[in-house]
Amino acid sequence: MKSIISTQPTPLETLTPDAYRHLEHATSLKGLLKPFKGKGELEYLAQVARETEAQLCRLMEAVALRAGQPPFSLLDIRLVLQNTSAGSTFLRWRTRDFARMGVAVWERQASNKALPQTVREALHRFECERIALNLQMSVMHSLYRQASTCAIKMASAERLLRQSTPAAEISR
């Protein structure tokens, strides 16, 4: 393996704060921790969560693309995007032949003493980025689902109130 993989340090930029700069809504929960006055605010929160998911997906794509470059493309491991049936995307480790998937695939490569230390350290950074991005995607997708569900429930409650309130009282 040493003949294939260079022992020279691998230039690898981790995800920097600049990579996250466009995710301004994701860094603050102040918009979440307030009284919601109606379904419109919840729909807006769901929209922001969905937009943030798309931005996180672009970051995931960038990480997967970097992990697909040499010297990592020479390894028996791939970092791939996996779309779920729930509608979100996660980064997963897979073998080159797609026979196995999961952290065990990464552990096998990262613990391979035949690989240069720089490559193992880079694999470690990829794994840390994968873990963090998957967490962030999971939180955003859950926030989207919850906000969407709550907006529907709030709209239903508003409809029920309008239906049960006499017209004369509504016009006041």
Side-chain angles (χ1 to χ4, degrees):
M1 196 55 115
K2 278 195 173 192
S3 62
I4 297 174
I5 306 294
S6 169
T7 58
Q8 296 299 315
T10 305
L12 176 71
E13 293 181 18
T14 58
L15 289 178
T16 63
D18 286 340
Y20 282 90
R21 193 164 313 283
H22 63 283
L23 293 169
E24 61 191 49
H25 295 289
T27 60
S28 172
L29 292 177
K30 68 182 179 184
L32 174 63
L33 302 175
K34 67 176 191 174
F36 290 97
K37 295 182 172 92
K39 71 174 179 146
E41 289 181 347
L42 288 164
E43 289 170 339
Y44 176 73
L45 180 61
Q47 175 190 340
V48 168
R50 188 55 104 187
E51 290 167 1
T52 303
E53 277 187 272
Q55 293 169 342
L56 284 169
C57 193
R58 287 192 288 280
L59 288 178
M60 289 176 161
E61 289 168 351
V63 170
L65 183 65
R66 279 188 301 144
Q69 301 295 315
F72 313 106
S73 59
L74 303 172
L75 301 174
D76 187 34
I77 190 172
R78 298 289 176 263
L79 189 57
V80 298
L81 293 168
Q82 180 184 31
N83 297 319
T84 68
S85 59
S88 59
T89 303
F90 293 100
L91 284 168
R92 302 282 190 240
W93 290 109
R94 299 202 76 149
T95 56
R96 184 186 301 219
D97 63 3
F98 283 73
R100 289 184 308 271
M101 178 176 76
V103 176
V105 171
W106 171 82
E107 287 172 345
R108 184 172 175 203
Q109 285 292 303
S111 63
N112 182 351
K113 300 287 186 198
L115 291 177
Q117 183 65 24
T118 55
V119 172
R120 287 186 288 144
E121 288 171 2
L123 286 172
H124 174 262
R125 286 191 298 273
F126 282 131
E127 175 62 356
C128 290
E129 289 176 352
R130 184 193 73 79
I131 291 166
L133 286 166
N134 283 353
L135 163 75
Q136 292 162 337
M137 180 61 81
S138 179
V139 168
M140 283 299 112
H141 191 71
S142 180
L143 181 59
Y144 165 75
R145 280 193 339 255
Q146 291 293 325
S148 296
T149 300
C150 288
I152 291 167
K153 290 176 180 179
M154 200 170 282
S156 178
E158 289 170 7
R159 247 188 330 277
L160 181 70
L161 179 64
R162 278 194 307 266
Q163 290 171 354
S164 65
T165 304
E169 288 185 33
I170 293 176
S171 61
R172 283 191 218 166

